[in-house]
Structures are given as structure tokens and as C-alpha cells.
Amino acid sequence: MRILILGPQGSGKGTQAKRLASERALGHVATGDILRAAIADGSDLGRRVRPILERGDLVPDDLMIELIRERLVDEGGFVLDGFPRTVPQAEALDAMLAEIGKPLDVVLLLEVGDDVATQRLAGRAEQEGRTDDAPEVIANRLRLYHELTEPVVERYRASGMLVPVDGEGTVDEVAEEIESALTGVRAGYR
């Protein structure tokens, strides 16, 4: 099964993606992990990405797609989180997946309100000391999610691939919601 997980920062995408990948023996494809691994491996793409990240710039979409392609070529099934964040990224991702014969089976949307996301991110900042979870940064990240990523959500909703999941419960409750959603997808599988 090929799964994309979307949702705002603090919705639990990474936590649920790791759990889902482990339980179903799927590859977990997190873009941050891909970037760090490409750099650590010293691959051609890693060498191209390193100076971009060292400057604090965003990796261009075409390089992200190449990195994801490199990782997915050998995966049967996967859980992808952290990408796409914009409609052009979603279009490029879908085109690349079609090209390698691995289109998405389902897009899960972890739905959480801004108040819950903010509370979770603030808690993570306190526990882990993450500077990217400072209050003003959280507000900006959520603003960017609404501005740039919600159109991606609507794109997948219009395609009929999107399955909304209540992401406001505990980790176990959300995992149960995801399992129910995937059971429904499999039941309707072509």
C-alpha cells in the first residue's frame, strides 16, 4: 500500500507514519530523513543538497522529487510524510510516482484544530527544547499550512483519494482511526 499522510504541524503525521510503516512493514519516507541520509551517504544528490541546507535555504522542488524518487524506487509500499507542502510539489510528486509505476493508494488527512496543534507543538518545544517550535514560529508555520498546504488537501479531496481522520485523540486513538480508514479503503479497493 502506498500512503501519503497530510496534516498541519503538530497533527502527529510523523508519529503515525512511523507507527503505520512499522506495523505494516512499509517504507517510511520522511523528507527530513531523506535529506539527512543523502548527505550522510555522500550521494551526488546529497552533495548538491548540503550547501543549500547549510545556508538555511529550502531545497528546490526538483531536488526534493529526485531525492524521493531515489528512495521510492526500491520500496514496494510506503508511507510518505512531510511532502508535498504546495500544489506544484503535489503535481510533481504525482507525476514522478506515475512515472515509476507507484501511484498513491490513499491520502490520509490528520485533522486537528490550530489550538490543538499549537498546544502539541508548544509541549514538544518544552520537552525537546526545539527552537522551531517557538510560539511565533508555530503561528507562522500554521499560517503557511493554511495558505500553501490546504490547497494540496483540496486537490487530493477532489481526486477522491483523501480520507479524513480525526487527529485530536491520543496516539493510540488516532492509530485506531487510521486503521479503520485503511480498512475502508481496502474494502473499496479496485
Side-chain angles (χ1 to χ4, degrees):
M1 186 163 239
R2 296 174 301 268
I3 303 166
L4 169 62
I5 297 183
L6 295 175
Q9 293 79 359
S11 64
K13 294 182 305 291
T15 299
Q16 294 299 332
K18 286 176 193 166
R19 183 175 179 153
L20 192 55
S22 174
E23 290 174 354
R24 294 176 173 268
L26 300 171
H28 176 220
V29 184
T31 53
D33 294 345
I34 291 172
L35 293 172
R36 287 185 290 278
I39 291 168
D41 292 345
S43 71
D44 177 55
L45 288 172
R47 286 189 296 276
R48 290 166 55 199
V49 166
R50 172 177 244 137
I52 295 168
L53 294 180
E54 287 174 350
R55 289 191 307 267
D57 293 337
L58 292 176
V59 177
D61 291 353
D62 61 332
L63 282 181
M64 285 304 305
I65 290 295
E66 283 185 58
L67 288 167
I68 293 169
R69 176 195 305 267
E70 189 176 85
R71 176 65 164 60
L72 293 182
V73 163
D74 297 327
E75 293 289 350
F78 57 83
V79 181
L80 177 61
D81 81 90
F83 191 89
R85 293 190 180 195
T86 66
V87 170
Q89 289 176 353
E91 291 168 347
L93 175 68
D94 290 346
M96 182 271 293
L97 291 174
E99 187 179 306
I100 65 172
K102 297 182 180 192
L104 295 169
D105 293 313
V106 64
V107 178
L108 299 173
L109 172 63
L110 298 184
E111 297 181 311
V112 299
D114 284 1
D115 55 337
V116 171
T118 300
Q119 183 179 29
R120 287 179 179 174
L121 292 170
R124 182 172 78 180
E126 189 175 305
Q127 290 175 351
E128 300 175 18
R130 287 182 53 162
T131 56
D132 61 333
D133 287 336
E136 64 280 358
V137 176
I138 292 170
N140 188 52
R141 289 167 68 198
L142 289 172
R143 180 187 62 76
L144 289 173
Y145 171 80
H146 293 304
E147 182 181 314
L148 300 174
T149 308
E150 282 183 350
V152 173
V153 169
E154 293 312 311
R155 180 179 185 278
Y156 286 117
R157 187 184 318 275
S159 75
M161 296 182 69
L162 189 81
V163 179
V165 174
D166 180 356
E168 293 196 356
T170 66
V171 170
D172 289 338
E173 289 169 344
V174 175
E176 287 176 24
E177 290 273 336
I178 288 172
E179 187 56 40
S180 293
L182 293 177
T183 299
V185 168
R186 276 194 307 275
Y189 217 75
R190 301 183 280 281

